[in-house]
Amino acid sequence: MQPRIDSNLGIQGEPDTWVHSACILCSNGCGLDIAVKDGRIVGVRGSAGHPVNFGHLGPKGEHGWVANNSRRRGMVPMIRKTKDAPLKPVSWDEALDFFVEHFRKAWSQGHQNLACYNSGQLTLEELYTLGKFWRGGLRSANIDGNTRLCTATSATGLMANFGVDGPVASYADVDRADLLCLYGHNVAEVQTVLWERMLAARKKNGGRIMVVDPRKTPTVQQGADLHLQIRVGTNVALMNGIIHLLVQNDWVDRHFIAQHTVGFDQLESVVRDYPPERVAELCDIPREHLETAAKWIGTTPRMVSTVLQGFYQSVEATASSSLVNTVHLLTGAIGRPGAGPLLMAGQPSAMCNREAGAGGSYPAYRNPHSEVQMRDLCAHWNIDYASFRPEVPRDILSMMEGAERGEIEFFWVIGTNPLVSLPDQNRTERILRRTFVVVQDPFVDAETIACADIYFPVAMWGEKQGCVTNADRSVNLLLKAVDPPGEARSDFDIIAQIANRLGFKDKDGQPLIAFTDPRDAFEEWRRVSKGRPCDYSGMTYELILEMGAVRWPCNEQYPRGCERLYEDLKFWTGIDECETHGVDFLNGTPTTRNAYAHADPAGKAFLRPAQWRRPPNPVSEAYPFLLITGRVVYHFHTRTKTARSKVLNAHAPQPYVEINPQDADRLAIALGDLVELTSPNGRWEGVAMVVDTVRPGEVFVPFHYGHGAQSANQHTWYARDAVSQQPHLKSSPVAIKRLSFGQPESWLLERMRELDGTSIEPFAARMLDGTVNMSVPMSS
Ligand SMILES: Nc1nc2c(c(=O)[nH]1)N[C@H]1C(S)=C(S)[C@@H](COP(=O)(O)OP(=O)(O)OC[C@H]3O[C@@H](n4cnc5c(=O)[nH]c(N)nc54)[C@H](O)[C@@H]3O)O[C@H]1N2
Ligand SMILES: Nc1nc2c(c(=O)[nH]1)N[C@H]1C(S)=C(S)[C@@H](COP(=O)(O)OP(=O)(O)OC[C@H]3O[C@@H](n4cnc5c(=O)[nH]c(N)nc54)[C@H](O)[C@@H]3O)O[C@H]1N2
Ligand code: SF4
Ligand SMILES: [Mo]
């Protein structure tokens, strides 16, 4: 990808200063500088020397910064004295006292009575501090991140094969690959700059791109050489079908398998049941597409695979994602330039949440079931192992179910908007309304604040300092460009202050959280992560500033970071190295330490078989369509940032549903009509887009839009993958009908043209340097 400096400045002339930072509106981690004038953020420009984006920015990267200057920024803390009282402004002291009083009251019933739900959008330093507070101070496992909805499966999928979390390949491998396989990843809309990099690589290498997605997405339209347009919920069947053909045609590396893996025989016996005719029927794709896919995969040594929500947000998430790693292990396409699986992250610091241990993991990928590792962690924290009692982390949905049963009274929500983003919105709202809720957010209009008893105004991106790790392990440093508005404080300060008000101490009676500055937390993290896979011991803020971003591990062996993992083909599967002892995909039971000791592969990777199973909540006569939810290029999540940009919002101002022309004809629904989706859980309304991007019987709604009848999460369920506990957000049964006739507005027509491939304006306009394939790909 050629360097190019994209910029967007809201002022005439030069700013006062440019401050080093990175975009945090997805996991790509594009380097940029923030323009500051008169103490305000006035624009951004891409960093040409940055190893991730070479100065390129996408639409959110260019326009997202306007959110900082919104009039809806929170300036002062607020509390609600009783459930039916309004939120009232108070001083920080009063708000923190109120917090501590309610925290202690709930705590007096046991630590399981409190829960923390945080985010893949905080900094590494904040997440590390929060994890230490909750696990080391409160000694509780009731802590999770919205990473659970996002990339929990990336972690469990990687652990299933390699023993620990940690994306294997990197963008440097994308540049060298001859085959890019995108599994449930609509990269053209969700990481536009990575898409540019992929297209540039395809052009340079004369390579190919294969996409597995039930929708004909812009990724398919703009760049797929092969589109496997499978039926929603058939990922495991497809992967087994591919592996069946790899084995049958001997497109596997038997020497590699024998030297570096365990489990081949069992895998082979399971995939025997997935001959191409059966798989073509289950997935509803032409058999030739499946055979072409297997042939390309089996005969292209330099292959990189990316995996995202089309695989992760389903009940078969871990199995299907792990099978992608398995394909790489079978063909030996791992640990060398241009080859490897890249189980993607989504949020800007989902990776940090997993690394630092503020969600479903312990710090630096430590295993709570390994006494050696837990003793080591206690030594770092200077706390007593005997009283530490590491517990298995609880996921957000089981905590919500706990709160529903009255077992959790206190919920601290930091940097996430669960009222909009959790499944089954009506159920979620009922639970949050009956619970004591603290919301820590930069904006006073984030929907979840409607359920809050305490609101803390916080500093956001550009107003604080800290690191974020992107999807390929590149660590960025975000510097503070301006002061936060009003009395807003950083999450870091709030977490550290509360820890000290609660009086958490180490075993020598010193404050457990003694940090006063994010850099203190970073320095401690360097020590805590040393020797683990995500080793930061050789990384400094200065090195990051010098290099733009540094990929972990960064230590004596890799003083300037590491391009790809497992070049030595030694995996972290030894019994006291691994992050988990694993779960059997076939029956869902966790492996005990004793059973693991028996089968310890001591450095070899696992090949784990999985059977395809019919998804839960299938369609019925009353609810005959499957609803797919996901993203559009212009908005980030619940729109608390992107809706404030006039430019971005103008392209996608309202919710809409994609419906196939065959279904629309049958139901007499036309483009622009107002339609209703109903399900056992709720009701949605929005305009219809009649377009063949979706298969007959499936509909698609973006999940970005708010609370109530706009929200796709009116219809989703608390169903989840048994291993990663990631919710099944990609298929829910619904009924659809027209409410009234309508005319399409111009944004809807423009969006439709983007989707049906007749226009790629405006978001991909810059890719038109011959790299975009505008011809229609092979597609079922
Ligand atoms: N513009 C924008 N970019 C973003 C974000 C955003 O909100 N907006 N969010 C960021 C975050 S946090 C994340 S996690 C990523 C998510 O990035 P993606 O995972 O790429 O985005 P989604 O639209 O959620 O889902 C991807 C695709 O999965 C497909 N899919 C649905 N069901 C199935 C299935 O059964 N099998 C297969 N193979 N595919 C299926 C959908 O049709 C969809 O096109 O994006 C990041 N980037
Ligand atoms: N149906 C359906 N639901 C989904 C998905 C889907 O595809 N379909 N995708 C899921 C995925 S992958 C994700 S990642 C989630 C995202 O869901 P959320 O995490 O709920 O989405 P955001 O809108 O990013 O919420 C972040 C909140 O943090 C606030 N914030 C921003 N910066 C800061 C900060 O520095 N500090 C603090 N304290 N707060 C800050 C924002 O204003 C916002 O309110 O949604 C999930 N939900
Ligand atoms: S690709 Fe992601 S990180 Fe890069 S500019 Fe776009 S939103 Fe920001
Ligand atoms: Mo995500």
Side-chain angles (χ1 to χ4, degrees):
M1 192 162 78
Q2 293 301 315
R4 179 189 72 212
I5 301 178
D6 293 337
S7 69
N8 176 26
L9 256 168
I11 52 160
Q12 301 289 328
E14 271 294 295
D16 301 335
T17 47
W18 290 100
V19 179
H20 175 101
S21 187
C23 175
I24 59 160
L25 291 167
C26 83
S27 59
N28 210 46
C30 296
L32 54 71
D33 297 317
I34 302 176
V36 180
K37 186 152 180 86
D38 302 327
R40 275 168 74 88
I41 295 179
V42 294
V44 292
R45 94 181 155 199
S47 321
H50 195 277
V52 165
N53 61 317
F54 308 105
H56 297 224
L57 297 174
K60 285 181 283 115
E62 283 183 12
H63 296 280
W65 59 268
V66 300
N68 281 63
N69 300 328
S70 158
R71 282 199 216 96
R72 307 292 286 156
R73 291 294 304 274
M75 304 282 193
V76 287
M78 294 190 280
I79 63 172
R80 200 191 298 278
K81 283 256 160 88
T82 55
K83 268 286 175 200
D84 42 11
L87 275 171
K88 285 257 176 64
V90 289
S91 68
W92 268 105
D93 263 338
E94 215 173 319
L96 291 171
D97 285 345
F98 195 64
F99 180 104
V100 169
E101 177 196 329
H102 282 267
F103 191 101
R104 285 191 188 287
K105 196 166 130 238
W107 194 7
S108 67
Q109 309 292 314
H111 69 229
Q112 63 281 358
N113 203 21
L114 301 127
C116 176
Y117 183 44
N118 60 82
S119 173
Q121 295 178 51
L122 304 178
T123 63
L124 171 76
E125 294 79 352
E126 288 164 347
L127 292 164
Y128 174 70
T129 307
L130 185 61
K132 186 176 181 186
F133 171 130
W134 209 265
R135 297 193 198 289
L138 185 62
R139 312 285 166 101
S140 160
N142 278 359
I143 179 168
D144 203 6
N146 60 3
T147 28
R148 185 69 66 178
L149 318 182
C150 185
T151 59
T153 302
S154 178
T156 53
L158 288 161
M159 286 185 233
N161 298 88
F162 309 122
V164 292
D165 192 354
V168 179
S170 76
Y171 294 172
D173 295 314
V174 168
D175 297 341
R176 296 188 190 120
D178 298 317
L179 176 63
L180 292 167
C181 302
L182 314 184
Y183 294 99
H185 184 194
N186 180 13
V187 60
E189 298 213 70
V190 304
Q191 281 123 345
T192 58
V193 176
L194 174 58
W195 183 227
E196 289 187 66
R197 197 160 171 169
M198 288 179 169
L199 291 173
R202 182 179 70 161
K203 191 178 172 193
K204 181 167 83 33
N205 306 335
R208 293 182 176 122
I209 295 177
M210 175 189 116
V211 180
V212 180
D213 197 308
R215 289 192 310 136
K216 212 184 288 168
T217 57
T219 309
V220 172
Q221 301 282 8
Q222 294 167 21
D225 300 289
L226 174 65
H227 178 202
L228 298 170
Q229 194 171 8
I230 58 171
R231 184 181 273 143
V232 122
T234 58
N235 297 321
V236 166
L238 177 79
M239 297 315 297
N240 282 344
I242 290 174
I243 297 171
H244 177 102
L245 288 170
L246 293 178
V247 176
Q248 191 184 56
N249 292 292
D250 209 23
W251 288 322
V252 293
D253 183 338
R254 299 216 175 239
H255 178 73
F256 185 101
I257 293 168
Q259 291 292 307
H260 304 296
T261 70
V262 294
F264 181 74
D265 292 345
Q266 212 196 351
L267 176 74
E268 191 184 18
S269 82
V270 169
V271 299
R272 214 169 283 144
D273 297 341
Y274 294 81
E277 47 293 346
R278 177 173 179 227
V279 172
E281 196 187 315
L282 285 177
C283 299
D284 191 25
I285 54 171
R287 182 176 165 162
E288 311 82 77
H289 287 189
L290 176 66
E291 287 167 342
T292 306
K295 183 168 181 192
W296 290 1
I297 291 170
T299 58
T300 315
R302 290 191 305 180
M303 165 179 76
V304 170
S305 303
T306 64
V307 185
L308 207 47
Q309 299 313 348
F311 268 46
Y312 295 168
Q313 288 173 341
S314 105
V315 291
E316 52 171 19
T318 305
S320 57
S321 306
S322 161
L323 287 169
V324 175
N325 297 329
T326 293
V327 161
H328 281 265
L329 289 164
L330 292 173
T331 55
I334 187 166
R336 50 183 172 73
L342 189 50
L343 269 57
M344 293 294 295
Q347 295 180 82
S349 71
M351 287 277 293
C352 295
N353 197 310
R354 282 147 52 192
E355 291 157 15
S361 56
Y362 276 69
Y365 301 162
R366 283 182 172 82
N367 183 350
H369 299 294
S370 161
E371 186 178 333
V372 183
Q373 292 187 22
M374 288 300 105
R375 281 190 183 278
D376 180 49
L377 181 65
C378 289
H380 280 291
W381 285 353
N382 195 30
I383 59 176
D384 216 16
Y385 173 74
S387 60
F388 182 49
R389 297 184 316 261
E391 293 171 5
V392 179
R394 268 181 92 181
D395 68 284
I396 179 60
L397 293 182
S398 72
M399 294 196 292
M400 291 295 285
E401 288 161 351
E404 190 170 46
R405 293 190 298 268
E407 295 161 10
I408 291 178
E409 277 175 46
F410 186 104
F411 241 96
W412 185 8
V413 176
I414 309 176
T416 177
N417 196 3
L419 187 58
V420 184
S421 53
L422 283 183
D424 196 346
Q425 191 170 75
N426 293 309
R427 180 174 179 189
T428 295
E429 179 166 7
R430 281 193 299 275
I431 299 170
L432 290 175
R433 292 234 180 246
R434 57 171 291 180
T435 311
F436 189 90
V437 176
V438 182
V439 176
Q440 197 163 306
D441 202 285
F443 300 102
V444 288
D445 53 0
E447 285 81 356
T448 309
I449 296 171
C451 306
D453 299 280
I454 301 183
Y455 165 72
F456 289 144
V458 298
M460 59 190 281
W461 169 89
E463 299 162 359
K464 61 182 182 183
Q465 171 171 302
C467 293
V468 292
T469 312
N470 88 339
D472 87 337
R473 294 174 279 107
S474 296
V475 182
N476 272 302
L477 175 60
L478 317 174
L479 295 184
K480 178 175 171 180
V482 297
D483 286 326
E487 294 176 24
R489 294 183 182 174
S490 73
D491 293 294
F492 184 85
D493 289 344
I494 298 170
I495 295 162
Q497 280 160 13
I498 291 176
N500 291 323
R501 279 181 184 243
L502 289 167
F504 294 132
K505 296 276 191 312
D506 69 10
K507 67 180 183 203
D508 297 326
Q510 298 302 311
L512 182 75
I513 309 284
F515 315 138
T516 53
D517 184 85
R519 204 188 256 264
D520 305 335
F522 187 80
E523 290 304 319
E524 184 169 304
W525 170 247
R526 289 176 61 194
R527 294 191 292 275
V528 169
S529 64
K530 187 174 165 67
R532 294 297 300 157
C534 49
D535 190 336
Y536 280 60
S537 58
M539 213 184 292
T540 59
Y541 280 6
E542 288 68 29
L543 183 66
I544 304 174
L545 291 176
E546 181 207 320
M547 293 183 60
V550 181
R551 282 195 197 93
W552 61 252
C554 179
N555 49 22
E556 278 164 20
Q557 192 185 354
Y558 302 105
R560 295 176 72 79
C562 176
E563 214 156 76
R564 70 192 58 77
L565 303 183
Y566 308 131
E567 286 189 311
D568 58 0
L569 302 175
K570 294 267 179 311
F571 304 97
W572 292 79
T573 48
I575 191 162
D576 280 312
E577 290 178 332
C578 63
E579 191 177 353
T580 170
H581 297 133
V583 174
D584 188 327
F585 297 163
L586 297 174
N587 57 30
T589 45
T591 312
T592 60
R593 193 178 158 88
N594 281 345
Y596 195 95
H598 188 64
D600 189 348
K604 290 187 178 182
F606 290 101
L607 302 173
R608 293 186 194 268
Q611 293 285 4
W612 176 77
R613 291 191 178 89
R614 235 161 259 291
N617 44 41
V619 293
S620 61
E621 218 171 291
Y623 302 108
F625 285 89
L626 275 182
L627 167 68
I628 304 178
T629 63
R631 292 158 167 79
V632 303
V633 66
Y634 304 105
H635 282 303
F636 184 61
H637 296 170
T638 72
R639 292 161 72 243
T640 66
K641 293 177 183 170
T642 46
R644 299 182 213 273
S645 156
K646 285 204 181 88
V647 178
L648 295 175
N649 204 46
H651 289 289
Q654 288 163 37
Y656 71 90
V657 56
E658 290 169 26
I659 176 169
N660 185 279
Q662 285 178 32
D663 294 323
D665 273 0
R666 202 162 35 83
L667 299 169
I669 290 172
L671 177 67
D673 285 352
L674 184 69
V675 296
E676 181 186 56
L677 299 185
T678 48
S679 73
N681 293 348
R683 186 184 161 274
W684 174 95
E685 73 179 51
V687 286
M689 181 191 293
V690 179
V691 64
D692 74 351
T693 46
V694 281
R695 298 160 41 96
E698 293 172 8
V699 293
F700 173 82
V701 173
F703 91 100
H704 306 294
Y705 301 88
H707 174 217
Q710 300 195 307
S711 173
N713 279 322
Q714 284 283 312
H715 298 311
T716 47
W717 298 63
Y718 275 24
R720 49 206 191 262
D721 178 61
V723 186
S724 67
Q725 309 298 334
Q726 185 153 352
H728 182 76
L729 294 168
K730 289 286 185 265
S731 80
S732 315
V734 294
I736 179 165
K737 73 162 198 239
R738 187 184 60 230
L739 289 178
S740 60
F741 295 109
Q743 285 298 320
E745 291 181 26
S746 59
W747 67 267
L748 189 71
L749 289 170
E750 208 183 288
R751 173 79 189 148
M752 201 169 100
R753 282 197 289 271
E754 272 167 20
L755 287 171
D756 70 14
T758 49
S759 155
I760 58 161
E761 291 284 358
F763 73 84
R766 292 204 202 89
M767 298 173 206
L768 272 173
D769 59 346
T771 47
V772 172
N773 171 11
M774 289 298 290
S775 62
V776 178
M778 274 172 75
S779 170
S780 37

